[in-house]
Structures are given as structure tokens and as C-alpha cells.
Amino acid sequence: MVQLLFFYFALVVIGLGLRIVTCKNPVHSVLLMLVLFFHMAGFYLLLNAEFLAAVQVIVYAGAILVLYLFVLFLVNLREEVKMSPFIEKGKWLGIVGAVVLFITFLRGVMNFSLGPHGEYTIEKVQQLTHTKAMGEAIYTAYILPFEIAGLILLVAVIGGLALAKKEKKGA
Amino acid sequence: MVHLSWYLTVSAMLFCIGVFGFLTRRNIIMMLLSIELMLNSVNLNLAAMSHYMEDLRGQVLVFFIIAVAAAEAAIGLGIVVTLFRNYRSVHTEDIIKLKG
């Protein structure tokens, strides 16, 4: 059953990924990306990471994709759908680069062996519940990275405001 | 039983698709979307690794990557809006001011 679900998710994610990067209309790409994000959340559920699945749906599907859609509606798409979505002569170079990179990754995956196991076994996480286990890890051992992530979000807010602000004439 | 290397292979495939999109698309918004694709594949890799190593470190990292991805999308799309305001285009071949 788990294997069946894994293959379903893998098939949908890879197929949608290929469709997203080759789709002519960016709006279609963004909407397909929404479906892809839901299937990624399915992967997280298979990996016993419920909190990450929820965050994936809320942040990626709920916030980031809406941002993308808004910006897509701001820019002019009229002639976009009529021309080729790829840069000139770049398509084959891109395919070759991606395939070579994939072969390199595959060699790494073949020779990969797991390191020593940590203390959070599946039973322990299920007993604690995943959200509580994550919270304990974030607010004790990873408190400094958590603060830095907050700072990065502040920088993003200020940067977004500064970029989107209309400049005054003559200033 | 789903083996770890299956997850790693799916994630590698998704990453390569993202690389292909980033290298070949002419629309800057689609290039940013390809970056999201790559970040997602890295997230899947980390979450799978964390699950099979029975350690929460990878999943904490996924949490931070999602936060950074949100910041990156906000800044990147802000830049795209500014570019469109100045050039009336979001295509890479029209933005050649630094080319000389």
C-alpha cells in the first residue's frame, strides 16, 4: 500500500514537473505547481512528517503560489503564449546539462550509505506527535537558526516594500 | 517497504527538471518557479534522509528552507515587478543593460 502510494506520488510529481517547465502559459504552470505541492505534502505524510505536510500546504500552496499568481497577472502575458517558452538554442544545452547532472546524482545515490541513527525513532516521534517533537527540537537545539529565519523574513518584508515602492519624480 | 534510494532518485529527478527549467525558460517568473521546484526536491531529500536516519535535524532544516523560500519568492517577485515597470518585459533577452 505504501509502495503504491509512493509510486503514485512519484509519477505525478515527475510528470507535473516536466509539464511545468515545458508549459507555454505561465498561469497553467503555476496552477499545475499547486497540484505538485499537494503531492509533495503527500510524500511528507508517507515520511511521518505531518507538521511539514501542513506547512507545505499552508506556506507553499497558500502563500507563495498566490504571490506568483498576483505577479503573473501584473505583467503582460498577451504575447507570452504566442512565442516559444525557451531561450534560443538553449533547449538542447539545458537537456544535456540536466541529464549529465542526473547521472552524477545517480552515481552518488548508488554509493550512498546511511550514517549512525539518531534518537528520534519512528515510535518515539509518533508517541510525542510530530509537531511536538519538531517544536522541542526547534526551540531548544535550533533556537539561533530560528531567530535568524525570523530576521530573514523581516529582511524580505522590508526588501519587498522597498522594491515595490514607486519612486518619487525628481528624487 | 519503500527504500531510501527511491526517494533520493525522485528528488534528483525533480532537481534536474528544475535545473532544466532554470537554464532554458525565457520568462523570469518561470525561472523563479523552477527554483521553487529545486527547493522542493531538496526538501524531499532532507525529509526522507531525516526519516530513515531517525533524526529530526533534516526536518528542522526543511522548515527553515520553507521560510527562506518564502523570503526568496517575495524578493524575487519584487525584483520582477520593478523590472517590468522599467523595461515593460520579463524576458531574459530584453534585459541586457549590463552586456555593454
Side-chain angles (χ1 to χ4, degrees):
Chain A
M1 185 61 192
V2 176
Q3 281 177 356
L4 214 68
L5 274 174
F6 175 85
F7 281 118
Y8 165 68
F9 288 138
L11 206 72
V12 172
V13 162
I14 299 296
L16 280 178
L18 283 172
R19 191 79 189 86
I20 284 166
V21 294
T22 53
C23 196
K24 261 193 167 179
N25 193 336
V27 178
H28 293 176
S29 290
V30 172
L31 292 179
L32 289 175
M33 199 81 175
L34 179 70
V35 183
L36 188 142
F37 283 157
F38 276 111
H39 284 83
M40 290 298 285
F43 266 135
Y44 292 147
L45 286 180
L46 281 188
L47 289 167
N48 283 324
E50 303 93 28
F51 177 70
L52 287 183
V55 167
Q56 170 88 8
V57 170
I58 293 169
V59 175
Y60 263 118
I64 295 183
L65 276 187
V66 174
L67 205 63
Y68 272 94
L69 269 182
F70 266 117
V71 173
L72 269 181
F73 291 143
L74 280 179
V75 305
N76 193 6
L77 288 175
R78 222 31 63 80
E79 65 244 49
E80 173 85 28
V81 288
K82 284 178 201 144
M83 52 164 103
S84 157
F86 301 110
I87 54 173
E88 285 165 41
K89 295 179 215 151
K91 196 178 171 185
W92 292 106
L93 210 65
I95 289 175
V96 170
V99 168
V100 168
L101 191 66
F102 179 64
I103 291 166
T104 318
F105 281 154
L106 217 55
R107 285 181 65 92
V109 170
M110 293 295 178
N111 299 322
F112 181 75
S113 59
L114 269 181
H117 283 217
E119 53 179 319
Y120 281 95
T121 56
I122 298 164
E123 292 79 37
K124 191 182 171 189
V125 170
Q126 274 173 351
Q127 191 203 353
L128 266 175
T129 71
H130 184 252
T131 311
K132 195 175 174 193
M134 282 279 288
E136 277 178 2
I138 287 173
Y139 285 108
T140 55
Y142 299 97
I143 186 73
L144 187 64
F146 184 70
E147 299 282 345
I148 295 172
L151 202 67
I152 289 174
L153 286 175
L154 179 70
V155 169
V157 169
I158 295 172
L161 274 177
L163 280 170
K165 197 181 62 170
K166 256 208 157 81
E167 272 178 41
K168 282 184 201 128
K169 291 219 170 74
Chain B
M1 182 63 192
V2 182
H3 203 260
L4 172 61
S5 62
W6 299 0
Y7 279 107
L8 298 190
T9 311
V10 169
S11 140
M13 278 166 125
L14 201 62
F15 190 87
C16 292
I17 292 169
V19 167
F20 168 73
F22 183 77
L23 290 178
T24 56
R25 291 299 296 235
R26 67 166 46 173
N27 191 331
I28 293 179
I29 298 174
M30 288 309 297
M31 287 169 74
L32 286 173
L33 211 62
S34 301
I35 293 179
E36 298 296 335
L37 216 57
M38 286 193 262
L39 284 171
N40 259 284
S41 81
V42 172
N43 281 349
L44 177 63
N45 206 335
L46 284 170
M49 211 73 104
S50 164
H51 178 251
Y52 281 90
M53 286 178 80
E54 301 180 334
D55 198 329
L56 275 185
R57 220 172 293 170
Q59 296 181 4
V60 172
L61 208 51
V62 171
F63 182 70
F64 291 135
I65 288 178
I66 290 177
V68 172
E72 173 255 325
I75 298 272
L77 291 172
I79 292 174
V80 169
V81 169
T82 316
L83 273 177
F84 185 72
R85 197 185 292 147
N86 291 332
Y87 293 92
R88 312 308 296 170
S89 162
V90 286
H91 294 143
T92 44
E93 71 264 20
D94 296 327
I95 300 154
I96 48 172
K97 213 165 193 178
L98 276 179
K99 208 173 173 185

